[in-house]
Amino acid sequence: MTVRVGRHHKSAPDTDVPPSGETSLGRYFPVAVAMWALGAVAFLVLAVTTATAPSSWLVEDIPDSVAAEQQARTALAARQLQRSLDSGVSDLASVAAGIRVLNDETPNRLLSQLVSTRNRYRGTAYLAPTGEIRAKAGEDIDTTVITTTDKPALAAAAAQGISPRVFVSVPVTGPRAGRLVAEFKPEALIRPLSLAGPGNTRLLNKERKVIGATTGFTAFEPLTRPDLDQAAQSAATQGAGSAVRDVDGQRHVVSWAPVTSKEATRQIGLAVVTDRPETALTLPHSSEKRELLLLGVLIAAITVVIFGWLYAVIISPLSALAKAAGQIARGHTDDAVIVRRYDHLGLIARDLELLRRGLLRRS
C-alpha cells in the first residue's frame, strides 16, 4: 500500500515491482553460463588451432635426398626378392644333383627334406620327361604352369583364386632325367617388401595387379590410383625411380623398382612400388608439428577437465539456486531447497530454505 498524509488513495501497483505472477527472472540472462560456455569454446578453438594450424604454415619442400633414399630402399627390396627367387633355383639344383647320384636316398626323401628345412615352399614335385609325377612333397601344386626348359626358370601363374602363385623349375639331367618344380609360399614373396621401409609397399605382376603388400591387400586387385599405375609402368619400361605426387591434397613419395634377373628365363615381370605419405616422412619440421599436435591435445584435455569442474561446482549449483529463488518468488514454497555443501553457495541455499519455511509458517 502506498500511503500519503491527509488523504487516502486506493493502492496502486508499484512501478518498480513486477505484476503478480511475474518476477525479474523473466528478464534474467544467465551471464555465468554464457561466460562459462564462451571460455570453454575459446580454449577448445585454441586447442584445435594449435593442433591443426602447423599443417598449413609449416609447409616445406620434400628434400631430394628423401626421395632418393626411398628409391634406394625400394630397389633393395626388389633385389632381395629376386635373390629369394634365385635361392629357389639353388635349392632345386642341389636336389637335382642328389637325384643324379642317388644311392640309398629316394627323391621323396630329398623333396621332403627340402620342404621341411626351407619354409619358402608350398610344395614341390619331381617330374619325368613325360610330365608324370615321380615324387612330391608338401601340398599339391599345378606343375603345368611352368613350361619345360633346359635351364632353370621362374614363372608366375595367371590370376586365379585368392593367392598369387610363383613357380621355380630346374632340369634334372642324366639317367634320371626330368625336372623339379616348386611353388613359393605367398609369404616368401611378401617378406622382402619390408626392406622398403615405412609406407605401403606393393608387389605387382606384369599385368600391374597386386600380388603382395606390406599392409592388407586383395590378391590381383588393380591399382586404383593413377600415380601408382604410372609408377608400375615406369618400373617395367624405365627401371627404378621415384617422384613426389599430390594425392587428395597430401604429398606422397612414390618409388618403384623392377624385379630383374640377368637370366632371361627368370624374368617374370614383377615390380615393387612403395607409397609413402608425407605424414610418414621425417622432415625438419616434423618434430615441431608433432609437439604442437600434442600441445593442442593437452590444451583440449585440460579445458575439458577444468570447465567440467567449473560446471559441476559453480555453474550447475548457481542454476539450481536461481531456479529455487524463482519458485519462492512466485509463491511456490512446496519444494524444499536441498543443501549439500558448506561454502558460500551452501549458505545462500540454507537462507533460501529458511525463507521458504518462514513463508510456509506465515501462510
Side-chain angles (χ1 to χ4, degrees):
M1 296 284 294
T2 302
V3 180
R4 293 186 180 182
V5 179
R7 298 182 61 183
H8 295 279
H9 297 274
K10 296 179 68 176
S11 62
D14 193 337
T15 56
D16 294 332
V17 179
S20 177
E22 297 182 10
T23 68
S24 60
L25 292 175
R27 299 186 299 272
Y28 168 73
F29 182 74
V31 177
V33 177
M35 294 301 295
W36 172 84
L38 182 62
V41 170
F43 275 95
L44 288 176
V45 169
L46 175 63
V48 172
T49 303
T50 303
T52 59
S55 298
S56 59
W57 56 268
L58 283 180
V59 178
E60 56 190 319
D61 293 333
I62 296 177
D64 294 337
S65 59
V66 173
E69 177 193 3
Q70 189 59 53
Q71 177 183 337
R73 285 176 172 266
T74 303
L76 175 62
R79 288 195 301 270
Q80 183 59 39
L81 177 57
Q82 186 60 53
R83 281 196 290 266
S84 179
L85 296 176
D86 289 338
S87 66
V89 174
S90 301
D91 290 341
L92 292 190
S94 299
V95 175
I99 292 176
R100 286 195 298 267
V101 294
L102 279 177
N103 293 319
D104 297 332
E105 300 285 345
T106 64
N108 277 312
R109 183 174 179 181
L110 290 174
L111 294 180
S112 297
Q113 287 179 345
L114 174 66
V115 173
S116 61
T117 57
R118 301 286 191 272
N119 62 358
R120 64 174 66 99
Y121 304 110
R122 194 172 72 86
T124 183
Y126 169 37
L127 308 178
T130 59
E132 176 188 357
I133 296 179
R134 292 175 174 174
K136 65 178 182 178
E139 301 179 26
D140 292 336
I141 61 174
D142 185 3
T143 58
T144 61
V145 170
I146 188 165
T147 58
T148 303
T149 177
D150 59 350
K151 293 183 179 180
L154 297 170
Q160 183 179 359
I162 59 173
S163 177
R165 297 178 300 157
V166 175
F167 295 82
V168 57
S169 174
V170 169
V172 179
T173 58
R176 298 180 178 88
R179 62 178 179 139
L180 294 169
V181 178
E183 179 182 346
F184 289 96
K185 290 181 179 179
E187 300 82 39
L189 306 176
I190 297 173
R191 195 177 301 117
L193 302 181
S194 61
L195 295 175
N200 188 13
T201 301
R202 298 173 175 87
L203 176 63
L204 311 172
N205 61 12
K206 61 181 178 181
E207 286 83 23
R208 302 195 302 280
K209 294 183 178 180
V210 180
I211 62 173
T214 53
T215 60
F217 72 100
T218 301
F220 308 114
E221 64 180 352
L223 293 169
T224 56
R225 278 173 41 190
D227 60 313
L228 297 181
D229 188 70
Q230 181 181 357
Q233 294 183 44
S234 298
T237 58
Q238 303 174 14
S242 64
V244 177
R245 308 294 189 191
D246 186 81
V247 181
D248 297 330
Q250 185 181 33
R251 294 177 298 177
H252 289 239
V253 175
V254 179
S255 56
W256 56 89
V259 180
T260 60
S261 175
K262 296 179 181 179
E263 302 293 336
T265 56
R266 303 185 196 179
Q267 295 278 14
I268 54 178
L270 301 182
V272 177
V273 175
T274 300
D275 173 32
R276 192 174 179 185
E278 181 180 4
T279 53
L281 299 175
T282 302
L283 300 177
H285 290 302
S286 296
S287 59
E288 297 178 26
K289 291 182 180 180
R290 285 193 296 268
E291 291 171 359
L292 289 174
L293 176 61
L294 291 176
L295 178 61
V297 173
L298 181 61
I299 293 174
I302 293 176
T303 299
V304 172
V305 172
I306 292 179
F307 281 86
W309 177 82
L310 287 175
Y311 183 84
V313 174
I314 298 177
I315 302 300
S316 180
L318 277 177
S319 299
L321 284 177
K323 181 179 179 181
Q327 294 288 343
I328 294 174
R330 288 191 292 272
H332 303 301
T333 57
D334 296 334
D335 297 331
V337 180
I338 306 299
V339 180
R340 294 193 178 95
R341 50 197 296 170
Y342 300 94
D343 55 4
H344 290 83
L345 292 179
L347 292 175
I348 296 173
R350 282 194 292 275
D351 290 342
L352 282 177
E353 177 60 15
L354 292 175
L355 176 62
R356 184 189 71 84
R357 292 179 182 179
L359 291 175
L360 282 176
R361 284 195 297 269
R362 291 180 183 178
S363 62

